Amino acid sequence: MAPSPQTIGEFSVLPISIPPVPSFPRNVVHYLYVRRNAPKIPTANDSRSLFLANVPVDSTELHLRALFASLVGAGRFESASFEDERKEAEAVAAALDAAPAQAVRLLAAHGKKRKREDQEAVERAEEEAAARLPSTWTRPLRKSGSTAVVLLADEKSVQQVLKAIAKVHKSKKYPTWGGEGNVVSERVPQLGSIWLKAHNQLSYPDRDQLQAAVDAFSTMFTRREREAAEIAKRLRNEPDEDGFVTVTRGGRSAPATRNEAEEAKKMMIEKAEKKKQEMTDFYRFQMRERKKAEQEELVKRFEEDRQKLDAMRQKRGRFVPEA
């Protein structure tokens, strides 16, 4: 078997020995690709974080903690965020970014005025946690080839990890996934049939628990709608960074709403008339009656024109020129 390359592009290749399991009683080598974290939008922790690609599907933070402890010792690993978890956090961030900058500025000023930013952040986190539906899995699985970002203690730890990966290729002593003796498996929920049985039980949560989550979500949604309305009201009178005042629809007398109602009423009337015209010649007897009425109208107009001509002729005959 050809030796694995030490690097592929910017990535350092880290071979991991996955111990056998009853369903597959063979030792397997898995390749993890590691590089310095360089996101499109830089953050303050980029210098002390690593980007991992092709993480195992059963990865947990405990697995990665044990892996890095075997490479550089304990105390260097701080936290890990996986791809699916980051996407959920990015969705929340995108919702905040979608709000107008002026609204965000007003919210910040409002929070500073009350001096309760930290307390409100905690309350919001608790409120969102209470509004979430209960999970149906005791342990998440990652997609094949998914990624993770590991945060270490300092920038020196990052260098030590990359050097330790290079030493692994020289010594051929690959770190064991789950730690020596697979100690991590004793601290995380088991997979396999036990995992599926637990999922089957968690798929039917308590009704009161579900109702509490729905009520919490409805309360949070209503409150945030009210906050959004208050922000929109503030925007009517607050100038932005360029000194302009934002004009919003629906003033005190609600002219925009009234105009929209009139337009909608006009469109409904036009639609009803159009439908009535389309249904005029729907049946044959309607076509016959319409043609008969048009013919009678032509005869009537012909008689009227003939009478006008007769009257003009009689008037012309009584005309006597002067001598």
Side-chain angles (χ1 to χ4, degrees):
M1 183 177 179
S4 60
Q6 294 188 13
T7 59
I8 298 178
E10 298 179 351
F11 289 91
S12 298
V13 181
L14 174 59
I16 302 171
S17 177
I18 297 180
V21 293
S23 59
F24 192 78
R26 291 177 58 186
N27 199 355
V28 178
V29 177
H30 181 86
Y31 295 98
L32 194 64
Y33 305 100
V34 186
R35 67 165 170 82
R36 294 178 180 272
N37 190 31
K40 294 181 179 179
I41 302 176
T43 62
N45 296 325
D46 291 342
S47 60
R48 61 188 185 101
S49 60
L50 288 171
F51 179 80
L52 312 181
N54 195 35
V55 297
V57 294
D58 62 341
S59 300
T60 63
E61 186 170 328
L62 289 175
H63 281 90
L64 295 179
R65 185 181 296 274
L67 175 64
F68 281 84
S70 64
L71 290 174
V72 294
R76 302 287 185 179
F77 184 91
E78 188 170 316
S79 64
S81 61
F82 294 92
E83 180 180 1
D84 50 353
E85 298 171 354
R86 290 200 309 272
K87 286 183 178 179
E88 184 178 355
E90 287 172 1
V92 177
L96 291 175
D97 293 341
Q102 176 70 359
V104 175
R105 185 174 66 83
L106 283 171
L107 274 179
H110 187 56
K112 289 178 183 178
K113 193 178 294 184
R114 292 185 296 176
K115 297 182 180 180
R116 292 181 56 194
E117 290 181 350
D118 296 337
Q119 184 179 354
E120 286 184 354
V122 173
E123 290 177 356
R124 279 180 176 269
E126 293 176 352
E127 192 177 39
E128 291 176 358
R132 291 194 188 99
L133 294 175
S135 176
T136 59
W137 298 99
T138 58
R139 176 179 167 186
L141 288 182
R142 315 298 172 187
K143 291 182 179 181
S144 178
S146 61
T147 62
V149 175
V150 171
L151 184 63
L152 301 178
D154 49 22
E155 188 175 357
K156 185 178 179 181
S157 301
V158 173
Q159 298 175 357
Q160 290 178 350
V161 169
L162 296 177
K163 289 179 181 179
I165 293 174
K167 291 180 181 179
V168 166
H169 287 273
K170 295 178 181 179
S171 63
K172 301 298 180 182
K173 293 181 180 179
Y174 301 156
T176 304
W177 184 248
E180 294 296 333
N182 203 10
V183 293
V184 175
S185 62
E186 301 175 359
R187 302 171 59 184
V188 295
Q190 296 183 10
L191 298 176
S193 59
I194 298 176
W195 181 63
L196 294 175
K197 288 178 181 178
H199 169 66
N200 190 26
Q201 294 176 355
L202 294 174
S203 297
Y204 302 94
D206 183 58
R207 185 175 181 180
D208 295 337
Q209 186 180 6
L210 285 178
Q211 188 63 44
V214 172
D215 293 342
F217 177 82
S218 301
T219 303
M220 180 180 64
F221 184 82
T222 303
R223 183 175 60 79
R224 293 192 177 182
E225 266 195 335
R226 186 168 58 251
E227 289 178 356
E230 291 176 358
I231 294 171
K233 187 177 180 180
R234 287 169 177 268
L235 286 174
R236 297 175 187 172
N237 302 321
E238 290 285 341
D240 58 11
E241 297 176 353
D242 298 327
F244 294 97
V245 177
T246 304
V247 179
T248 55
R249 61 186 290 271
R252 294 179 180 177
S253 58
T257 305
R258 186 168 59 250
N259 293 339
E260 288 181 359
E262 293 176 356
E263 290 291 333
K265 183 178 179 181
K266 185 178 179 181
M267 290 177 63
M268 288 179 63
I269 294 174
E270 292 177 354
K271 187 176 180 181
E273 291 179 353
K274 184 178 179 181
K275 187 176 181 181
K276 185 178 179 181
Q277 292 176 359
E278 292 176 352
M279 293 295 293
T280 302
D281 298 334
F282 189 77
Y283 297 101
R284 284 188 176 180
F285 75 89
Q286 291 179 326
M287 295 180 64
R288 288 196 298 268
E289 289 180 354
R290 182 176 60 81
K291 291 181 178 179
K292 184 177 180 181
E294 291 177 355
Q295 186 176 4
E296 291 177 353
E297 182 67 21
L298 287 173
V299 171
K300 183 179 178 181
R301 289 170 59 186
F302 176 77
E303 290 295 332
E304 291 177 353
D305 292 342
R306 189 170 61 82
Q307 291 176 4
K308 288 180 181 179
L309 285 173
D310 292 343
M312 291 173 65
R313 286 172 182 169
Q314 291 177 2
K315 187 176 179 181
R316 186 181 302 168
R318 291 195 301 268
F319 176 75
V320 178
E322 293 181 358

